[in-house]
Amino acid sequence: MNGLADPGYHGYRALMLALFGTSGQPSGWRTSAACGGQDTELFFDASHPERAAEVCGGCPVREQCRTDQLAWERHGSAARRYSPAGFVGGLTGRERKAIHYPRSAARDE
Ligand code: SF4
């Protein structure tokens, strides 16, 4: 699916900007992020997910990124912010969904 068609797209764009900034000068562990300074569209290009996977695959802070992303998506117990859009922390939306909703993912198999 094209990320632009997804209703969660804008939320994810905001998240990516919050995480990685517009200037390529992120703070904390993000200063070591392999995606710093990259075009965030790369992580929403559903037709070429291998490009984002390659960047994340060599990222030294992938575990921290994944932990923060999954925590952000959980957003407490009642109102999750999970969206299938985007490739973050080395995980596709489908992979993150399987973590957040394991019973649903098992039914889909
Ligand atoms: S794991 Fe991927 S999305 Fe996360 S900081 Fe590294 S390159 Fe960026």
Side-chain angles (χ1 to χ4, degrees):
M1 177 195 318
N2 183 330
L4 291 170
D6 185 88
Y9 177 76
H10 295 295
Y12 262 66
R13 291 285 291 121
L15 170 66
M16 293 300 283
L17 286 171
L19 281 172
F20 307 117
T22 56
S23 65
Q25 302 293 321
S27 60
W29 59 260
R30 296 175 184 106
T31 58
S32 300
C35 57
Q38 299 245 3
D39 182 356
T40 55
E41 296 300 326
L42 171 75
F43 297 88
F44 294 90
D45 183 357
S47 61
H48 294 288
E50 72 282 359
R51 294 178 183 163
E54 184 177 345
V55 175
C56 291
C59 181
V61 293
R62 187 175 57 222
E63 290 306 316
Q64 294 98 317
C65 173
R66 184 177 296 182
T67 298
D68 279 10
Q69 174 69 10
L70 292 173
W72 184 86
E73 288 182 336
R74 273 195 292 279
H75 188 239
S77 58
R80 292 189 185 191
R81 294 186 279 206
Y82 164 74
S83 164
F87 190 99
V88 186
L91 297 173
T92 64
R94 185 180 182 138
E95 290 167 333
R96 297 195 311 278
K97 179 181 179 183
I99 292 170
H100 292 306
Y101 305 103
R103 289 164 60 184
S104 171
R107 275 198 308 270
D108 293 345
E109 290 178 0

